Amino acid sequence: MIRVLGMELRRSPFLWVVLPISALAIAVLLRERETWHAVWPEASVQVIAAATQLPGVAVAAVAAWAAQRVHRTGTADLLNGAARPRWQIEAVQLFSSLVFSWIVLAVVSLIAGFVTARMAPPGSLWPSYLLLGFAATIIVTALGHAVGSTVNSRLAPPVAGFLSFFPLFVMSLLVPYFGEANKEVSPAALAARVAFAITCVFAALFVSARTVVGRRPAWRPLMATGSAGLAVLAVVALGPPQQARAPAEDPVCGLVERTRVCLWPENAARLPGALQATKALIDTTRHVFPYPDVVAEEGLAIAGGSTVFVGVVAGSTGEAFGSLQSFRLTWALLKDCGAEESEVAGRRRIEARAKLDTWISSSHLGRLQDAYWDSIALTSAGRQEVGSTLKLARAEQVQWARRQITIMGACGG
Amino acid sequence: MRPAIRTDNLTQGYGGNPIIENLTIEIDGGIVGLLGPNGAGKTTLLRTLATVLPPRSGQVQLFGKSLDGDADVRAARRHLGFLPQEFGYYPNFSLYEFVRYCLWLRQVPGRRAREAAMDAIEAVDLGDQAKTKMKALSGGMLRRAGIAQAVAGGVRLVLLDEPTVGLDPEQRLAFRELMRRVSAEATIVLSTHLVEDVAAICDRLHVIASGAFGFSGTPDELIGAAVDGARGDTELERGYISVLRDERVRA
């Protein structure tokens, strides 16, 4: 068996494409490395996204092409008349295709591990994410193999690639896009994806299998595709691959004046940026509203005083942290007036929040921020008002900002 | 002694067309030739005996055992070598790898397979091409590669469909010698259009026409079946043509 596997590996069409596919995966991985290279979970997700999404489509197509060998070479009689069960024959070829897809995953993991180890606190790529990627590579390779071994058409490889495109890209069913530190792989979702991978392998092995007397047994492909279908339902029913983590017991914290800024330990490398952003916000909002005692990353349980929770978007820099903080702070200042408030009054208060938010961000930048980043509640007149305010003296700007807060807190009938 | 091949009322065909009807035969030992015009059912019969096609009705026994269940068929296939008329191969495999792969399909243990593969390749005089990729072999070499995979590994039954197509005269002589050697251990059934091959190596002949055996006997008996005025360059050809004409008249 090992010797035949060696032959399959040496003669696989993957030999010709494993380098370009790996190069593609590495290019995708390193394209925006500064957004993940200091955070292990984010690096882990980037590894599996880079190794499975675009390359996964190519892997599925090549696996289909490889599995079509029986149709191209006219060896059906040879295989159908073999003493060895057909599923074993398919298994060796499928395994050789899988080895190449794992090589891509391994190469990308090594590079990401090397890059991240230099920037992040001590740690490693998260095995649960790698397992998710491992399952995804099995799914797309087995899917390609199943399509190729059953469809004798030149369209089979693009069809296999297209079928992989949906779960990986469009539906993001198999792997997540980001690996925020406050999230982890859901064990149930992981189990569903592993089960899906196993059923895909079964489908690939048995969908083209015949009994020795030559009739294709209806129950085998039916059972294989049926179980794969059930596994898809389980994947969909059990939801996204990630879930919230239990609060970390050892968050990393820093102090800005009297405000504590705390992040998940995995985001330790981002603490200086977060402190800097918080300092800039405190300076901007001084005399406008009292700053909270604690600014904590979402998912942490930090005791002590008023607290605002800020989500650290995977890949975000200190600037983004400041922007999100401003967003949360201004929403916290918006009074909840209930359903009795008229739509006009509510809209006026929401626009006041949008103006305040744009003013905070723009003050921090030293100029009116790009309209792209404005809240959709901000009208063009409101944007002009913020622009004019920024040209006023600091004391007048503070007065204007306080007026916005007053509007935000005044419920209208 | 149980015959290598026995069929009882075997009926075979594709779609709605029966090609072989109620064929009952027994073949055991030596080299047996199948002669017949195109479409007579030679290839269909060989594919059925090779267990690639399931019988439509009737029974096939190999080595004295009915092929009723998976286990029986698999057991028979381990001792059966088959060269199809349309010989498919993996172009990127080397000749050695391909023969070795075919032995793996036949579940020949790894320890024996290496030696068996090289022996078979040497036997068809392709030893110096063992590392050559299949796609680089000529048509004649490919046919010999197909013969090598069919006889490799000590099989007890060899089924060859048009094995000498594409072989030059010298290679055909070598093929006949190889068949004589292999027949010491195995029953060989071959179909061919080349009557001189049949005359040279076959112990028994079956002329198949319209899905039935119109003649069964030795080459000498086929020669004896020739009628006056029958066409043909050799005595055997005249005998063969006579049998066919007789079959057509009967049909």
Side-chain angles (χ1 to χ4, degrees):
Chain A
M1 194 75 96
I2 297 294
R3 188 165 290 275
V4 172
L5 176 63
M7 287 180 204
E8 291 284 12
L9 287 170
R10 278 198 302 277
R11 306 305 178 196
S12 170
F14 270 99
L15 272 180
W16 297 98
V17 294
V18 70
L19 272 178
I21 291 178
S22 299
L24 173 70
I26 293 166
V28 171
L29 175 77
L30 297 180
R31 197 172 37 125
E32 291 178 338
R33 67 177 176 280
E34 66 283 355
T35 63
W36 55 261
H37 66 180
V39 185
W40 285 110
E42 287 181 21
S44 308
V45 168
Q46 289 311 309
V47 163
I48 59 172
T52 62
Q53 288 182 337
L54 264 180
V57 173
V59 163
V62 179
W65 166 259
Q68 281 193 304
R69 179 177 67 178
V70 61
H71 309 305
R72 276 197 308 276
T73 57
T75 44
D77 275 4
L78 198 67
L79 304 189
N80 291 334
R84 193 168 286 279
R86 180 67 179 268
W87 71 265
Q88 288 184 16
I89 300 166
E90 298 292 334
V92 172
Q93 200 191 9
L94 172 61
F95 190 72
S96 77
S97 296
L98 281 170
V99 166
F100 286 103
S101 66
W102 292 333
I103 285 173
V104 176
L105 185 64
V107 166
V108 173
S109 300
L110 282 174
I111 290 173
F114 179 74
V115 169
T116 312
R118 295 192 308 168
M119 310 295 293
S124 65
L125 295 172
W126 285 17
S128 52
Y129 280 125
L130 296 185
L131 195 55
L132 212 53
F134 188 69
T137 58
I138 293 174
I139 290 164
V140 297
T141 312
L143 185 73
H145 188 94
V147 170
S149 61
T150 47
V151 180
N152 180 16
S153 159
R154 287 181 182 187
L155 289 176
V159 164
F162 189 72
L163 286 177
S164 299
F165 183 79
F166 269 93
L168 284 171
F169 272 110
V170 180
M171 298 172 75
S172 192
L173 263 181
L174 303 182
V175 292
Y177 283 120
F178 301 110
E180 293 94 332
N182 60 359
K183 288 181 181 167
E184 63 185 0
V185 174
S186 150
L190 177 61
R193 281 152 185 81
V194 169
F196 184 33
I198 292 169
T199 55
C200 281
V201 168
F202 271 110
L205 298 188
F206 289 108
V207 84
S208 63
R210 288 164 183 254
T211 62
V212 287
V213 287
R215 302 269 180 242
R216 189 176 290 192
W219 62 271
R220 277 187 180 163
L222 209 66
M223 215 173 89
T225 46
S227 56
L230 284 177
V232 170
L233 288 180
V235 166
V236 174
L238 288 169
Q242 289 162 303
Q243 65 180 20
R245 284 171 79 190
E249 289 175 0
D250 52 348
V252 289
C253 298
L255 205 61
V256 182
E257 297 184 8
R258 56 175 199 81
T259 299
R260 267 177 85 204
V261 178
C262 293
L263 302 180
W264 284 80
E266 288 77 10
N267 275 326
R270 292 199 168 121
L271 187 62
L275 292 174
Q276 205 178 357
T278 307
K279 173 79 172 69
L281 280 170
I282 289 174
D283 289 343
T284 303
T285 59
R286 202 180 303 278
H287 308 303
V288 177
F289 55 79
Y291 217 80
D293 300 318
V294 178
V295 175
E297 191 177 351
E298 270 180 354
L300 290 175
I302 306 289
S306 58
T307 304
V308 65
F309 288 101
V310 179
V312 172
V313 177
S316 69
T317 56
E319 244 175 58
F321 186 76
S323 171
L324 286 165
Q325 215 176 125
S326 158
F327 178 83
R328 282 293 169 91
L329 286 167
T330 52
W331 272 108
L333 293 168
L334 189 72
K335 195 174 174 184
D336 181 9
C337 297
E340 302 82 45
E341 187 181 38
S342 72
E343 196 183 325
V344 175
R347 200 177 297 153
R348 183 164 172 263
R349 292 190 313 108
I350 286 172
E351 197 193 0
R353 190 215 68 83
K355 285 192 282 189
L356 182 65
D357 188 27
T358 299
W359 173 75
I360 293 171
S361 302
S362 300
S363 299
H364 177 51
L365 283 173
R367 60 175 171 78
L368 188 60
Q369 73 173 5
D370 290 340
Y372 178 82
W373 302 107
D374 287 344
S375 158
I376 52 165
L378 189 66
T379 59
S380 55
R383 185 173 162 78
Q384 275 179 2
E385 185 184 333
V386 175
S388 308
T389 305
L390 285 168
K391 292 172 188 159
L392 300 174
R394 167 73 189 170
E396 289 173 274
Q397 288 191 41
V398 169
Q399 286 304 317
W400 175 88
R402 281 181 172 170
R403 274 202 304 281
Q404 304 312 312
I405 293 171
T406 307
I407 294 167
M408 288 159 67
C411 295
Chain B
M1 183 77 180
R2 289 166 174 171
I5 298 170
R6 185 187 160 83
T7 69
D8 286 316
N9 293 314
L10 173 69
T11 297
Q12 186 59 280
Y14 301 97
N17 302 324
I19 293 175
I20 296 167
E21 282 189 283
N22 299 318
L23 182 69
T24 298
I25 54 166
E26 223 178 77
I27 295 174
D28 189 34
I31 306 174
V32 178
L34 286 182
L35 283 171
N38 291 335
K42 302 187 298 292
T43 293
T44 303
L45 177 60
L46 285 178
R47 291 183 79 211
T48 307
L49 297 178
T51 72
V52 173
L53 283 180
R56 188 173 279 189
S57 68
Q59 218 182 31
V60 176
Q61 287 183 9
L62 294 181
F63 316 114
K65 285 190 176 173
S66 291
L67 306 181
D68 296 329
D70 280 15
D72 295 331
V73 178
R74 288 196 198 291
R77 284 173 176 177
R78 287 189 197 108
H79 306 289
L80 191 160
F82 176 45
L83 172 67
Q85 190 175 34
E86 303 287 334
F87 173 54
Y89 59 90
Y90 298 153
N92 288 319
F93 276 46
S94 72
L95 170 59
Y96 169 74
E97 286 172 338
F98 187 70
V99 175
R100 187 82 197 257
Y101 184 83
C102 292
L103 288 168
W104 178 75
L105 293 179
R106 208 179 291 147
Q107 295 186 314
V108 174
R111 295 179 302 281
R112 241 181 67 209
R114 181 187 157 75
E115 205 179 326
M118 279 315 296
D119 284 350
I121 291 168
E122 296 285 355
V124 294
D125 202 22
L126 285 176
D128 55 342
Q129 303 290 336
K131 290 182 179 169
T132 306
K133 284 194 175 178
M134 294 290 283
K135 64 183 174 189
L137 298 178
S138 68
M141 287 176 176
L142 280 174
R143 210 65 197 154
R144 284 146 70 195
I147 294 166
Q149 64 80 28
V151 302
V155 287
R156 288 162 56 194
L157 174 62
V158 182
L159 304 169
L160 304 170
D161 200 353
E162 303 286 359
T164 52
V165 169
L167 300 187
D168 62 34
E170 194 182 346
Q171 289 162 358
R172 276 165 54 199
L173 284 175
F175 167 75
R176 291 171 193 168
E177 281 170 24
L178 173 64
M179 289 300 102
R180 284 188 198 107
R181 281 206 308 275
V182 173
S183 68
E185 304 285 330
T187 301
I188 300 172
V189 180
L190 58 93
S191 80
T192 180
H193 284 99
L194 301 171
V195 176
E196 59 266 44
D197 284 341
V198 169
I201 56 170
C202 290
D203 305 312
R204 285 190 70 78
L205 294 175
H206 297 285
V207 177
I208 187 167
S210 307
F213 279 2
F215 169 88
S216 293
T218 64
D220 286 340
E221 286 168 346
L222 184 60
I223 289 169
V227 295
D228 288 343
R231 284 163 44 210
D233 293 333
T234 63
E235 289 179 321
L236 197 65
E237 273 183 5
R238 284 192 282 277
Y240 168 59
I241 297 295
S242 301
V243 168
L244 279 188
R245 201 168 55 186
D246 191 34
E247 280 302 305
R248 284 197 192 109
V249 170
R250 257 192 274 171

